[in-house]
Amino acid sequence: MSLIVQKFGGSSVANADRVRNVASIVTDTYKAGNDVVVVVSAQGDTTDDLIAKAKELNDKASKREMDMLMSAGEQISIALLAMTIEKMGFPVVSMLGWQAGFITNSVYSSARIKTMKTDRVSSALDKHQIVVVAGFQGINKYDDITTLGRGGSDTSAVALAAALHADRCQIFTDVEGVYTADPRKVNGALKLKEITYDEMLELATLGAQVLNNRSVEMAKKYNVELEVLSSMKRVPGTIVKEKVKMEEMLIRGVTKDTNCARISLVGIDDVPGVAFKLFNQLAKKNINVDIILQSIGREGSKDITFTVSKDNADEAVELIKQMPYFSNCEISCNTDVAKVSVVGAGMESHPGAAALMFEALYDAGINIKMISTSEIKISVLIALEDADKAVKAVHDRFFNTKNL
Amino acid sequence: MSLIVQKFGGSSVANADRVRNVASIVTDTYKAGNDVVVVVSAQGDTTDDLIAKAKELNDKASKREMDMLMSAGEQISIALLAMTIEKMGFPVVSMLGWQAGFITNSVYSSARIKTMKTDRVSSALDKHQIVVVAGFQGINKYDDITTLGRGGSDTSAVALAAALHADRCQIFTDVEGVYTADPRKVNGALKLKEITYDEMLELATLGAQVLNNRSVEMAKKYNVELEVLSSMKRVPGTIVKEKVKMEEMLIRGVTKDTNCARISLVGIDDVPGVAFKLFNQLAKKNINVDIILQSIGREGSKDITFTVSKDNADEAVELIKQMPYFSNCEISCNTDVAKVSVVGAGMESHPGAAALMFEALYDAGINIKMISTSEIKISVLIALEDADKAVKAVHDRFFNTKNL
């Protein structure tokens, strides 16, 4: 007998038929002899309705009241799912975030879990009840409702799985697993059987929308075995864990990230510490910098180019303009760029990976603007219009066995 | 400076405009220098939506899960109202039933309040915050959400007012106060300035849909001064309290109750204890009996006639048929009856009230089937088709000053 945590997102419980489908997955898991804890998000339309209602009355409502409002969404979906499981004749109990023991800090709308107090969930499991838990929400030290922010229900599921020492945490989505590239765009994209946490993190960061990063980081930290799988099609998904068999695969996937902007500072006075001050200032404003290129410019000056997410681009440029160090230099920002990356722990022991990627791009006539590498990732910045072509070219090169 | 508890029902917060209207009543009260606690129900349409969603999935859902579901409704309305008050620039905080300290027993869907732990509400008031509290809901000893059942938000408001020693508890409704008869049906129905708890209880029991009985009982017990008033029209309402000036009014109102059935047992063997056994058996099944008439029948037998609510009529008849005492008698049930009553503490010292009522009915050609009196009430059972005519005739007689 295993303890399994299953998480279903808003679209998986969007209407009565979908709720019944989730109930049948849950009860099948239970009937197979497992203890089951289910984490659900708010129904898709409920979330939209609540946001619309709030905006009509106050488009700058406090985050505390927004959390109070939004958390009603999961309350509705857990009750509906629990009722459906009741109707099928199984013992079940629903729990709100605070009832299931999600103690968070007080950053309303993007709270972090501080402690899990799972006594109540455990004792329900001892009574062989299926436990249906509201994802996305918790409670802070003031007894106020908080929400965990984007992708919060994934985090809820992993945190519960970690606290309960669950055997597996299944994240049900509308895709069948993690693919080597976006299967809607790349013919021959392959579903991975297994992937490591680090690979998954790189893929998630780079724009594969399957799993929320915070939840993968937490799964890695507490060694929770994740499975990403479809709520519509009953087939095995992709397992995310610490170590996986490498099989013959060099890389795990090719991704693109179009939420990029490239900022260039040309002709910076070459005094020590300039780069430090620049990136320190950006970090203070929570602007994440990705690829960085520094080069010697003309006449003792230097140039710095780096990428940020598109959302942060304007703020970053404003910030730089206000810094006296950069008053003499030319500042430009380009948002017509995309980042294409290959990810895979296999590259560590295979120095030819970068060359293979660059060759594929060269053959496709794509110009590389910037390069960044880590032990398990190679990223290149290219023109936005080339992004899909680049993904296809690189994917073909790596997953066409004659190249391996 | 006073502490005022204000309660608004589902129709008062049904849409954005109504929510803004409530916010302006609340903030006007606050601006006048009062501490304000607001109790709100779920938005009308939310309640209906949630019930429809539940029925689609399980029409016999457990009451625990129904409470989990339904209580999301007030959670939404308190957040929306709090946001609206925020937008108007006033300090405000919303609280769920459990946050505001409603500790109930564990009878899901019709829980009773056991204790009020209002520390949190009090400390918010100390900080001069307007406190917006979810009505209708509480928490039991298992940390489960419970709801108070029909009219629960009125009860919530009175319980808070009692626990906080509020100066007044204002119940906002869609009528302007308590009237001497239903103003939609009786021309010349008068709005009362004041009424006693006991009179209000009689009126509520008899079908005046203004205030929930439980809340009036609680207000009487804790001596909470109630005011029933309109959320749409800013005029004084009706005050409900322990003692009121009698003015010249003999009675407070005329009501009809059409939810009646008359059950007759004709030809019961005249053995001792038969009546006791009959009514004891009905009481055990929670069937309330109202007017009772017992008379000597033919040849040593007797007849008993009594009224119950229409909903209980079939069950009562079934029960009686199963009792051996009544195997020989003739059992009949008539649902084409209505009860018309006059209520008023003034009748205690005015023995002519009953005569005035009977005379009015006689003059209108209405036949009285049964009569019941208490210190502050006279009820008659008449044919259902005569009910409206009877109310009008009796009201005219009492409130036409030339008769007083």
Side-chain angles (χ1 to χ4, degrees):
Chain A
M1 195 186 73
S2 299
L3 168 55
I4 297 181
V5 175
Q6 302 186 314
K7 180 257 167 180
F8 297 89
S11 65
S12 298
V13 292
N15 57 45
D17 281 339
R18 299 254 178 109
V19 172
R20 277 188 279 261
N21 173 56
V22 167
S24 79
I25 293 173
V26 170
T27 53
D28 284 349
T29 311
Y30 181 86
K31 275 189 287 189
N34 301 294
D35 284 338
V36 187
V37 178
V38 195
V39 175
V40 276
S41 307
Q43 295 184 300
D45 56 345
T46 306
T47 303
D48 297 341
D49 287 353
L50 292 178
I51 291 173
K53 284 189 176 192
K55 289 216 163 152
E56 194 177 355
L57 289 163
N58 184 353
D59 52 6
K60 283 173 188 157
S62 68
K63 290 183 174 171
R64 184 204 183 266
E65 296 301 337
M66 280 306 289
D67 284 2
M68 177 68 95
L69 180 71
M70 300 308 292
S71 59
E74 295 87 43
Q75 184 163 346
I76 293 169
S77 56
I78 58 169
L80 293 176
L81 179 57
M83 286 173 193
T84 311
I85 294 172
E86 275 176 359
K87 172 123 178 168
M88 296 167 78
F90 294 87
V92 62
V93 62
S94 69
M95 293 186 197
L96 296 163
W98 63 268
Q99 291 172 325
F102 287 84
I103 316 296
T104 75
N105 67 13
S106 292
V107 184
Y108 298 101
S109 293
S110 53
R112 296 214 155 234
I113 298 167
K114 293 182 70 173
T115 332
M116 294 294 301
K117 294 192 177 165
T118 52
D119 323 21
R120 196 166 172 191
V121 175
S122 297
S123 68
L125 291 173
D126 289 345
K127 286 183 256 171
H128 301 292
Q129 292 178 310
I130 295 170
V131 185
V132 179
V133 176
F136 183 67
Q137 58 178 243
I139 193 169
N140 67 12
K141 64 180 170 185
Y142 307 111
D143 269 358
D144 275 348
I145 308 289
T146 54
T147 68
L148 306 181
R150 231 189 131 94
S153 291
D154 286 359
T155 310
S156 300
V158 175
L160 261 180
L164 297 168
H165 304 288
D167 295 279
R168 182 170 288 183
C169 177
Q170 295 184 312
I171 310 283
F172 288 83
T173 68
D174 47 6
V175 296
E176 282 175 44
V178 182
Y179 282 77
T180 54
D182 184 340
R184 290 165 302 182
K185 297 209 171 152
V186 178
N187 275 335
L190 303 169
K191 186 165 78 180
L192 298 167
K193 273 190 198 149
E194 295 183 331
I195 187 171
T196 68
Y197 298 121
D198 287 335
E199 290 171 329
M200 191 65 228
L201 278 172
E202 291 286 5
L203 289 177
T205 310
L206 297 169
Q209 311 270 321
V210 183
L211 267 182
N212 174 264
N213 245 10
R214 266 168 78 190
S215 60
V216 181
E217 276 163 18
M218 191 182 280
K220 181 183 176 187
K221 186 169 171 190
Y222 296 101
N223 203 19
V224 173
E225 188 172 305
L226 291 176
E227 183 177 7
V228 177
L229 70 176
S230 165
S231 61
M232 294 302 159
K233 222 167 158 179
R234 304 262 189 125
V235 293
T238 300
I239 307 278
V240 189
K241 56 186 190 177
E242 186 58 42
K243 283 201 189 312
V244 307
K245 274 187 292 180
M246 290 312 297
E247 301 160 19
E248 314 94 84
M249 259 184 219
L250 179 57
I251 65 163
R252 291 291 157 187
V254 183
T255 64
K256 72 166 178 181
D257 177 6
T258 56
N259 182 22
C260 297
R262 180 175 63 155
I263 296 176
S264 293
L265 311 183
V266 175
I268 305 166
D269 293 341
D270 193 10
V271 290
V274 162
F276 161 72
K277 276 160 189 152
L278 170 64
F279 295 120
N280 189 40
Q281 195 66 21
L282 292 169
K284 274 186 190 164
K285 296 285 178 180
N286 277 318
I287 298 173
N288 279 324
V289 170
D290 189 26
I291 313 180
I292 300 175
L293 197 82
Q294 178 172 324
S295 58
I296 305 297
R298 289 150 295 168
E299 294 159 19
S301 74
K302 60 184 175 188
D303 306 339
I304 295 179
T305 304
F306 59 91
T307 62
V308 295
S309 80
K310 239 172 216 166
D311 323 324
N312 292 141
D314 290 344
E315 191 185 352
V317 170
E318 273 315 298
L319 210 62
I320 294 163
K321 282 185 179 161
Q322 283 160 27
M323 292 176 74
Y325 303 99
F326 307 112
S327 54
N328 295 325
C329 74
E330 201 179 297
I331 303 169
S332 65
C333 177
N334 179 1
T335 55
D336 287 332
V337 291
K339 190 166 59 181
V340 169
S341 311
V342 294
V343 172
M347 293 191 297
E348 278 186 89
S349 55
H350 202 304
L356 201 57
M357 181 181 192
F358 300 155
E359 186 188 50
L361 292 170
Y362 175 82
D363 288 348
I366 294 164
N367 188 31
I368 299 173
K369 296 174 190 288
M370 292 172 86
I371 298 170
S372 153
T373 60
S374 78
E375 285 173 349
I376 64 165
K377 185 192 70 172
I378 309 164
S379 297
V380 296
L381 198 77
I382 59 174
L384 182 59
E385 59 182 14
D386 290 335
D388 286 335
K389 191 167 67 169
V391 170
K392 203 180 164 319
V394 173
H395 190 271
D396 281 354
R397 192 64 54 111
F398 278 93
F399 291 97
N400 188 332
T401 44
K402 76 171 191 279
N403 292 312
L404 286 171
Chain B
M1 197 184 73
S2 300
L3 169 55
I4 297 180
V5 174
Q6 302 186 314
K7 180 259 169 179
F8 296 89
S11 65
S12 297
V13 293
N15 58 44
D17 280 339
R18 298 256 177 107
V19 172
R20 277 188 280 261
N21 173 56
V22 168
S24 78
I25 293 174
V26 170
T27 54
D28 284 349
T29 311
Y30 182 84
K31 276 190 285 188
N34 301 294
D35 284 339
V36 188
V37 178
V38 195
V39 174
V40 276
S41 306
Q43 296 184 296
D45 56 345
T46 306
T47 303
D48 296 342
D49 288 354
L50 292 177
I51 290 172
K53 282 187 177 194
K55 288 216 163 153
E56 194 176 354
L57 290 163
N58 184 352
D59 52 6
K60 282 174 190 158
S62 69
K63 290 184 173 173
R64 183 202 184 268
E65 297 301 338
M66 280 306 289
D67 283 2
M68 177 68 95
L69 180 70
M70 299 309 292
S71 60
E74 295 88 44
Q75 183 162 346
I76 293 170
S77 55
I78 57 169
L80 293 176
L81 179 58
M83 286 174 191
T84 311
I85 294 173
E86 274 177 358
K87 172 125 179 170
M88 296 167 79
F90 293 87
V92 62
V93 62
S94 69
M95 293 186 196
L96 296 164
W98 64 268
Q99 292 172 323
F102 287 84
I103 316 297
T104 75
N105 67 11
S106 292
V107 184
Y108 297 101
S109 294
S110 53
R112 295 216 154 233
I113 299 167
K114 293 183 69 173
T115 332
M116 294 295 300
K117 295 193 176 164
T118 53
D119 322 22
R120 197 167 171 188
V121 175
S122 295
S123 67
L125 291 174
D126 289 345
K127 286 185 255 171
H128 301 294
Q129 292 177 310
I130 294 169
V131 185
V132 179
V133 175
F136 182 65
Q137 57 178 244
I139 193 170
N140 67 11
K141 64 180 172 186
Y142 306 112
D143 270 359
D144 274 349
I145 308 289
T146 54
T147 67
L148 306 182
R150 230 188 131 93
S153 291
D154 286 359
T155 309
S156 300
V158 174
L160 261 180
L164 297 167
H165 303 289
D167 297 279
R168 183 170 288 182
C169 178
Q170 295 184 313
I171 309 285
F172 288 83
T173 69
D174 48 7
V175 294
E176 283 174 42
V178 181
Y179 283 77
T180 53
D182 185 339
R184 290 164 303 183
K185 299 210 168 152
V186 178
N187 275 336
L190 303 169
K191 187 166 79 183
L192 299 167
K193 275 188 197 150
E194 296 183 330
I195 187 171
T196 67
Y197 297 121
D198 287 334
E199 289 172 328
M200 191 65 228
L201 278 170
E202 291 286 5
L203 288 178
T205 311
L206 296 170
Q209 311 269 322
V210 182
L211 268 182
N212 174 265
N213 246 9
R214 263 169 80 190
S215 59
V216 181
E217 277 164 19
M218 190 182 280
K220 182 184 175 185
K221 185 168 173 190
Y222 296 101
N223 202 19
V224 173
E225 188 172 304
L226 290 176
E227 183 178 5
V228 178
L229 69 177
S230 165
S231 61
M232 294 302 161
K233 222 167 158 181
R234 303 262 190 124
V235 291
T238 300
I239 307 277
V240 189
K241 56 187 189 176
E242 186 58 43
K243 281 200 192 309
V244 306
K245 275 186 293 182
M246 290 312 298
E247 302 161 19
E248 315 91 86
M249 256 183 221
L250 179 58
I251 65 163
R252 293 290 157 187
V254 182
T255 64
K256 71 165 178 181
D257 178 6
T258 56
N259 183 21
C260 297
R262 181 175 63 156
I263 296 176
S264 293
L265 311 182
V266 175
I268 304 166
D269 292 341
D270 193 11
V271 292
V274 162
F276 161 74
K277 275 161 188 149
L278 169 63
F279 295 118
N280 189 40
Q281 195 67 20
L282 292 169
K284 273 187 190 161
K285 295 287 178 180
N286 276 317
I287 298 173
N288 280 325
V289 170
D290 190 26
I291 312 179
I292 300 175
L293 196 83
Q294 180 172 320
S295 57
I296 305 297
R298 288 151 297 169
E299 293 161 18
S301 72
K302 61 184 175 188
D303 307 339
I304 295 179
T305 303
F306 58 92
T307 63
V308 297
S309 80
K310 238 172 216 165
D311 323 325
N312 291 142
D314 289 345
E315 193 185 350
V317 170
E318 272 316 300
L319 210 61
I320 294 163
K321 283 186 179 162
Q322 283 159 28
M323 293 177 74
Y325 303 98
F326 307 110
S327 52
N328 295 326
C329 73
E330 202 179 297
I331 302 169
S332 65
C333 176
N334 179 2
T335 56
D336 287 332
V337 290
K339 190 167 58 181
V340 169
S341 311
V342 295
V343 172
M347 292 191 299
E348 278 186 89
S349 53
H350 202 306
L356 201 59
M357 182 181 190
F358 301 155
E359 185 188 48
L361 292 168
Y362 175 81
D363 288 348
I366 295 164
N367 188 29
I368 299 172
K369 296 174 189 288
M370 292 172 88
I371 298 170
S372 153
T373 61
S374 78
E375 285 173 349
I376 64 166
K377 186 191 71 170
I378 308 162
S379 297
V380 296
L381 197 77
I382 58 174
L384 182 59
E385 59 182 12
D386 290 333
D388 287 333
K389 192 167 67 168
V391 169
K392 205 181 161 315
V394 173
H395 190 271
D396 281 353
R397 190 64 54 111
F398 278 94
F399 292 96
N400 189 333
T401 44
K402 77 170 190 277
N403 293 312
L404 287 173

